[in-house]
């Protein structure tokens, strides 16, 4: 009887200890999420609470662990390309280890000697102005002026044959310090009628956004896609890409996205906005629907 009782009590103690452990863990997670959500920064009024909750949710970190994630290993002219598909239609994909360490380092070195400026956003007339919708520093690094930028363009053109990267805006770099962010927005440009944009007249609207990662923040700083329920947290040397337009060239409403607030460390990315006119994909597709990711998996 005594052994039975002592067995019973020892089990009780174990159960209580386990409960304490999990309660503590649970409490810690909730508290740390809640604490981050409480962090204020300049421009936080442009973020909804649920968007910040998604940004801060640590479960969104490792896409390749999801039971339904699709990972492809493709050979393009004997070079290996690793593609993680986060959304099939419209496509949102991460290219892992896309750039070499040397490319990453030399581009960061180039940014060090450039002076990065506080970034503006454009209004509906296409006019730039400073706004706390985006808090970041940046600069433009034209391909024809900087071999470090040209090398990135060459790699993208070689490994992603579906897209003609030469029909694009100059590569532009962004650096976010703690408190830096870019509230949820679309990249597809929408101006009021009558505003004149020569570049738009010649090359069309933004078809795709290609983001290259050079430095990952130590806390915060992912890229949130509310419609996909995903936060991309890519590493230095990775790149990710999505389509801003549908097959008929109109704006795709599913691809709103934002740069989550950086809490610690520095985030450095740079972007190539690919323009529509002359892209082969529009000759092959013209329906009123989103593109599918299979166009990125073909070799052409
Ligand atoms: O910082 C990010 O993660 C996103 C940047 C972005 O959306 C943009 O530059 O248009
Ligand atoms: Fe954007």
């Amino acid at each position: 009887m005594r052994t039975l009782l002592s067995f019973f009590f020892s089990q009780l103690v174990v159960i209580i200890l386990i409960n304490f452990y999990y309660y503590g863990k649970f409490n810690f997670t909730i508290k740390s999420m809640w604490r981050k959500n409480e962090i204020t920064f300049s421009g936080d009024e442009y973020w909804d609470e649920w968007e910040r909750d998604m940004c801060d949710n640590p479960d969104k970190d490792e896409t390749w662990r999801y039971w339904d994630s699709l990972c492809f290993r493709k050979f393009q002219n004997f070079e290996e390309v690793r593609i993680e598909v986060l959304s099939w239609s419209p496509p949102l994909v991460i290219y892992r280890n896309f750039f070499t360490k040397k490319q990453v380092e030399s581009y960061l070195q180039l940014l060090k000697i450039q002076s990065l400026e506080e970034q503006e956003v454009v209004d509906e007339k296409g006019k730039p102005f400073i706004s706390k919708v985006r808090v970041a520093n940046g600069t433009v690094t034209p391909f024809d002026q900087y071999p470090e930028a040209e090398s990135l363009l060459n790699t993208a053109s070689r490994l992603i044959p579906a897209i003609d990267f030469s029909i694009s805006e100059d590569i532009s770099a962004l650096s976010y310090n703690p408190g830096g962010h870019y509230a949820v927005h679309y990249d597809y440009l929408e101006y009021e009628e009558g505003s004149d944009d020569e570049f738009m007249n010649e090359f069309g609207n933004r078809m795709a956004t290609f983001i290259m990662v050079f430095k990952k923040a130590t806390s915060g700083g992912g890229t949130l896609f509310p419609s996909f329920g995903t936060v991309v947290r890519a590493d230095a040397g990775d790149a990710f890409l999505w389509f801003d337009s549908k097959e008929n060239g109109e704006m795709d409403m599913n691809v709103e996205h934002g740069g989550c607030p950086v809490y610690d460390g520095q985030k450095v990315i740079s972007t190539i906005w690919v323009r529509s006119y002359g892209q082969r994909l529009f000759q092959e597709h013209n329906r009123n629907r989103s593109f599918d990711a299979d166009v990125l998996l073909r070799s052409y």
Side-chain angles (χ1 to χ4, degrees), residues 107 139-143 149 152 169-173 212 270-272:
Y107 191 76
T139 189
V140 179
T141 54
F143 313 109
L152 304 173
E169 293 165 49
D170 276 331
I171 175 169
S172 81
M212 300 159 275
S270 105
T271 306
I272 301 178

Side-chain angles (χ1 to χ4, degrees), residues 134 174 176 182 185 187 211 222-223 257 259 267 269 271 273:
R134 169 163 73 171
L174 275 186
Y176 301 84
Y182 193 174
H185 64 279
D187 285 357
I211 294 190
T223 305
H257 58 278
K267 162 180 168 181
I269 56 170
T271 306
W273 281 289

